[in-house]
Amino acid sequence: MDTRLSLERPYKNDQGLPIPVLQDITQQGELIYEPKVTPSQVLSENLRRIFSERGTDFFERNSDGFLERRVLTSQKSKDEEHSDDGSDTTDDDDQLTVKPMTTEELFKMKTEVLPSLYIALGEMQHASLLLSTILSTPTPSGPSQIPILPTATQETPPSTLATTIVSKPPQIVSVQAFNAQLVIGGKDEALRKASNLFKTATERMEKGRIRNERYWVDALKIRRANWGLVPAPLPFGSGLGRGADRTSKDFVISYGLEESPPSFRRNAIAYMANGDGSEDNLMFPHRLNTRLRISLANVHLDGTRTYTHNSDPKIDNKSSLDETLKCAKREVIEQEIFALVAQEAGTFPTASARVSERLIIIEAAQGTELKFELLDADLVFNSSPSSTDLLCQAKCDLIYHYLFALLLRRHSFQKSQRHGTTLNSKDVPKSTPTLLRPIIDLIQYQVFCERIKSELDAVTNSLSAAGIKSVLRFKPVGETGKALIKIPVDESDRGIGGESMLRIDNRHTVRLTMLSPSSLTAHLPQARIVISSIPQLEELLADEVERFFLQRICEIGRKLCDSSGGIWFVDLNRCVGRWEGCVLNFRIVYGEKFAISCSASRLGRKNPKSPVIDTYEASQMKMPILSWVHDVISTALAEQ
């Protein structure tokens, strides 16, 4: 443990007195402190040094301002000019021209010289000690003839080479207390660091235990919800040779559809968080966080477009594991649907399309555009609805969920083809069911039914204006709810159908059957006609209404002319009535928006060459057309 503290030097003792600065310790243990020097003492010492170092006549030998002039560099040239004067004067000038040393230079010289001086002092003391030892040894007075045998080594007097033990003086009480506080503080800091280390390790162990428990609890929840668990791939660098352990040590969650392409199944993988510090329980490495939006655009006559898209329910991804996986699975399915729609849109025969990376626009029908978009989930949830038309929004929701059903039918067909479990295996295998065609057929069928309904409404309104009671029963979808549900999963590629029935005056009936996308059949008493265009339908309705009117006029004429022996019949597009002295013709004419007009021409004995013409306009006359016919026939009979 490395503890670094920036401490301040103590300058007072326990009594509050200043602590002197220790300068040296002698061999006897005497402490030498730095003496206190007053400013007057410093000044006197400096003056003493001046006189001792430079002579007592220093000031007499130098004039006033001599030092200042010598310091200036400009005075050096003047000194050189007078260098040829007397030798005594030259020697003195040379000594005085030396620049005095500054305080920094003196301190530097002191630090360099003092170590050498201390070494010399030690050597001198050691030499003097040796000399005193040698000189104190007794020597014989004369040469001895007897050999001196080696004797025991004589010990040096203790007074001569006595050792001196220098012990460190005891510290001041305040300094001792301060040092004790430092030691205790360092130990406390070490203990705190050790306790923090153990606390961190304990918390990590507890978090690891909780994370492992959560891992297996989440795994059991996912398995109970019947999500697919598959072995995880081996870690990078694992041995794959013969005899290597290839057993997977973990598992991953596969939430993609079984019959989806491999690219989508590889992206539909989720990992359970384990030891990576993630707050989420599940990790999706390939998730794009996109949502599919389906919009319908109604193009008006002035070129403006009104867009309506499907509802975007907000899903809380962090509510539960099951909801999180459902949301991720929905995103993968939507991406697969978008890819298939983009693939089919370019080859669709009855609708033009513009395809980009995340946008598909298809002109499904006249005045209707279908748009598929892949948007970011945050953008979808934060966007406001572009229109409040609930009916169009319901249509978009129907298309959105209908695409899911069509995708499942496609997967079911591919699975049956792969396993060879189709019911009609002997027949020629059908093509794979498409996703876009049923949707386009539905949109085209809706527009087709709206146009047929508008034509039938025009006929009904014109009949009502003419005083003829008519009842229109229009049912564009004739299947029941159970049959509609079976259409997306049925193997037969059949569409939606309906019928419409127009009953005129409770006498004449016009029945039409419709089939998606744009098939129309008229069921008449005398024939069944397939109608291929709207003008053909208008002509058919006009003929049927005209036939009804002509037959009714004949019935009225026969009833009124029964006593006079008149003859009434229908000749092509007119009704002819003849009796003695009179010929009466009725014709039906249609105006704008199927407005009904009737003209009656009468030839009698009084004017055989100039017929009398009467005209009926439903918009101008307030009486029913049959009443007008009755009046015209009655007038002709009265003039007979």
Side-chain angles (χ1 to χ4, degrees):
M1 181 181 66
D2 186 9
T3 304
R4 296 183 180 180
L5 299 176
S6 59
L7 302 177
E8 188 179 25
R9 182 178 179 181
Y11 58 91
K12 287 186 180 181
N13 55 13
D14 296 338
Q15 287 76 24
L17 300 176
I19 299 175
V21 180
L22 182 63
Q23 189 175 11
D24 196 3
I25 301 175
T26 62
Q27 295 182 356
Q28 290 75 21
E30 181 182 359
L31 302 179
I32 300 176
Y33 296 99
E34 181 179 346
K36 293 184 179 180
V37 182
T38 61
S40 60
Q41 293 177 353
V42 174
L43 180 59
S44 63
E45 178 66 20
N46 292 336
L47 292 175
R48 187 188 63 77
R49 288 180 59 190
I50 289 175
F51 291 115
S52 62
E53 293 177 1
R54 304 199 180 190
T56 57
D57 57 347
F58 175 74
F59 292 103
E60 287 78 4
R61 289 185 289 105
N62 298 317
S63 61
D64 296 338
F66 178 78
L67 294 177
E68 287 78 1
R69 290 195 304 270
R70 288 301 180 183
V71 171
L72 297 175
T73 57
S74 60
Q75 295 297 114
K76 293 182 180 181
S77 58
K78 295 180 180 181
D79 296 335
E80 293 176 358
E81 294 177 358
H82 299 285
S83 59
D84 297 331
D85 295 341
S87 59
D88 298 335
T89 306
T90 303
D91 297 334
D92 296 338
D93 293 342
D94 291 337
Q95 294 177 358
L96 295 176
T97 54
V98 179
K99 184 178 179 180
M101 299 179 67
T102 60
T103 307
E104 291 77 6
E105 294 175 350
L106 289 172
F107 181 76
K108 183 177 180 182
M109 183 182 68
K110 179 181 178 180
T111 55
E112 292 178 355
V113 173
L114 280 179
S116 301
L117 293 177
Y118 280 119
I119 294 172
L121 178 61
E123 292 177 352
M124 293 294 294
Q125 291 178 355
H126 186 62
S128 63
L129 182 62
L130 288 177
L131 288 175
S132 62
T133 304
I134 294 171
L135 293 176
S136 62
T137 304
T139 55
S141 58
S144 177
Q145 301 298 328
I146 301 171
I148 301 173
L149 297 175
T151 59
T153 305
Q154 296 181 358
E155 296 183 357
T156 307
S159 60
T160 306
L161 296 177
T163 60
T164 303
I165 299 175
V166 180
S167 62
K168 186 177 181 181
Q171 296 180 349
I172 305 173
V173 178
S174 61
V175 178
Q176 294 179 0
F178 187 75
N179 294 337
Q181 291 178 358
L182 288 180
V183 174
I184 295 173
K187 292 181 179 179
D188 290 344
E189 185 177 2
L191 292 175
R192 285 195 298 271
K193 289 185 178 180
S195 62
N196 292 334
L197 181 62
F198 283 112
K199 182 180 179 181
T200 304
T202 305
E203 291 177 353
R204 288 183 179 178
M205 292 175 64
E206 182 65 18
K207 288 181 181 179
R209 183 187 64 82
I210 296 174
R211 186 165 51 247
N212 293 334
E213 290 181 358
R214 187 184 66 177
Y215 180 85
W216 291 110
V217 170
D218 293 343
L220 293 176
K221 288 181 181 179
I222 294 171
R223 187 66 187 92
R224 190 180 300 113
N226 204 23
W227 291 98
L229 300 178
V230 297
L234 296 176
F236 180 76
S238 301
L240 300 177
R242 181 179 298 179
D245 185 9
R246 303 181 185 179
T247 305
S248 178
K249 301 301 187 296
D250 200 355
F251 54 84
V252 296
I253 306 168
S254 176
Y255 55 87
L257 296 180
E258 183 181 355
E259 297 299 326
S260 297
S263 59
F264 293 99
R265 291 204 306 271
R266 283 194 296 267
N267 293 336
I269 293 295
Y271 293 90
M272 298 185 64
N274 184 14
D276 55 353
S278 177
E279 296 181 356
D280 299 332
N281 296 339
L282 297 177
M283 296 183 298
F284 301 89
H286 305 293
R287 189 173 180 179
L288 301 178
N289 290 322
T290 58
R291 293 300 303 272
L292 177 64
R293 172 178 285 183
I294 299 174
S295 306
L296 278 176
N298 296 323
V299 183
H300 302 284
L301 297 178
D302 56 353
T304 59
R305 289 175 170 82
T306 303
Y307 286 94
T308 307
H309 58 78
N310 61 310
S311 58
D312 302 317
K314 293 186 177 181
I315 301 176
D316 190 5
N317 294 338
K318 298 183 180 179
S319 59
S320 64
L321 295 174
D322 191 45
E323 292 297 330
T324 303
L325 289 174
K326 284 182 180 179
C327 183
K329 182 176 183 179
R330 182 182 293 271
E331 292 179 6
V332 174
I333 294 175
E334 290 175 352
Q335 294 170 13
E336 183 180 357
I337 290 174
F338 185 85
L340 291 176
V341 170
Q343 182 180 358
E344 296 175 6
T347 59
F348 203 78
T350 60
S352 60
R354 300 188 297 272
V355 181
S356 61
E357 184 179 1
R358 287 196 172 189
L359 178 63
I360 302 174
I361 299 178
I362 302 173
E363 296 181 2
Q366 184 178 1
T368 304
E369 288 184 355
L370 179 61
K371 183 165 65 173
F372 299 87
E373 297 176 279
L374 271 183
L375 302 177
D376 295 337
D378 298 337
L379 180 62
V380 172
F381 292 151
N382 297 330
S383 62
S384 58
S386 58
S387 177
T388 57
D389 191 355
L390 298 180
L391 180 60
C392 293
Q393 186 175 3
K395 294 177 184 177
C396 296
D397 291 337
L398 173 63
I399 295 174
Y400 177 79
H401 296 288
Y402 194 44
L403 285 171
F404 280 77
L406 294 174
L407 180 64
L408 293 178
R409 183 181 71 168
R410 179 187 179 93
H411 288 179
S412 177
F413 178 81
Q414 292 176 348
K415 183 177 181 180
S416 61
Q417 289 288 331
R418 187 176 69 254
H419 294 168
T421 58
T422 54
L423 297 177
N424 300 326
S425 58
K426 296 181 181 180
D427 301 337
V428 179
K430 301 182 296 182
S431 59
T432 305
T434 60
L435 269 69
L436 189 57
R437 180 178 176 182
I439 302 299
I440 300 299
D441 290 347
L442 283 178
I443 297 175
Q444 292 179 352
Y445 181 67
Q446 177 200 355
V447 176
F448 175 68
C449 291
E450 289 177 354
R451 297 185 64 183
I452 294 176
K453 181 69 165 48
S454 63
E455 296 296 332
L456 294 176
D457 288 339
V459 175
T460 304
N461 294 333
S462 63
L463 290 174
S464 299
I468 304 298
K469 295 181 180 180
S470 60
V471 178
L472 175 62
R473 182 186 176 188
F474 190 82
K475 190 177 181 181
V477 180
E479 290 82 358
T480 60
K482 186 177 181 180
L484 286 175
I485 294 175
K486 291 183 178 180
I487 289 178
V489 297
D490 196 0
E491 293 184 358
S492 61
D493 194 7
R494 61 188 181 91
I496 300 175
E499 66 175 0
S500 62
M501 185 176 294
L502 178 62
R503 190 169 182 82
I504 306 173
D505 198 20
N506 293 328
R507 291 173 176 266
H508 191 74
T509 302
V510 180
R511 179 171 173 264
L512 303 174
T513 58
M514 301 160 290
L515 184 66
S516 65
S518 59
S519 298
L520 180 63
T521 305
H523 300 270
L524 304 178
Q526 65 275 13
R528 185 174 65 180
I529 303 174
V530 177
I531 301 174
S532 58
S533 63
I534 296 298
Q536 186 180 357
L537 175 62
E538 294 176 353
E539 184 179 357
L540 175 65
L541 293 176
D543 293 342
E544 291 298 318
V545 173
E546 183 182 10
R547 189 163 65 88
F548 162 75
F549 277 113
L550 296 180
Q551 290 179 357
R552 285 291 288 146
I553 293 172
C554 286
E555 292 179 0
I556 295 172
R558 291 190 187 101
K559 184 177 180 180
L560 294 176
C561 299
D562 188 16
S563 58
S564 60
I567 300 174
W568 290 86
F569 60 93
V570 177
D571 183 14
L572 296 178
N573 59 348
R574 63 178 181 168
C575 178
V576 181
R578 293 180 181 179
W579 62 86
E580 186 178 355
C582 183
V583 177
L584 191 59
N585 296 328
F586 288 92
R587 290 178 179 270
I588 301 297
V589 182
Y590 298 98
E592 187 178 358
K593 294 183 180 180
F594 220 89
I596 298 174
S597 301
C598 183
S599 62
S601 62
R602 184 176 71 250
L603 295 175
R605 293 178 180 178
K606 297 179 180 180
N607 47 1
K609 293 184 180 180
S610 57
V612 178
I613 299 175
D614 296 328
T615 305
Y616 173 84
E617 294 288 343
S619 60
Q620 298 178 0
M621 302 182 68
K622 297 182 180 180
M623 59 185 307
I625 187 173
L626 296 182
S627 299
W628 176 80
V629 171
H630 188 280
D631 294 343
V632 171
I633 296 175
S634 299
T635 303
L637 290 174
E639 291 179 357
Q640 183 178 358

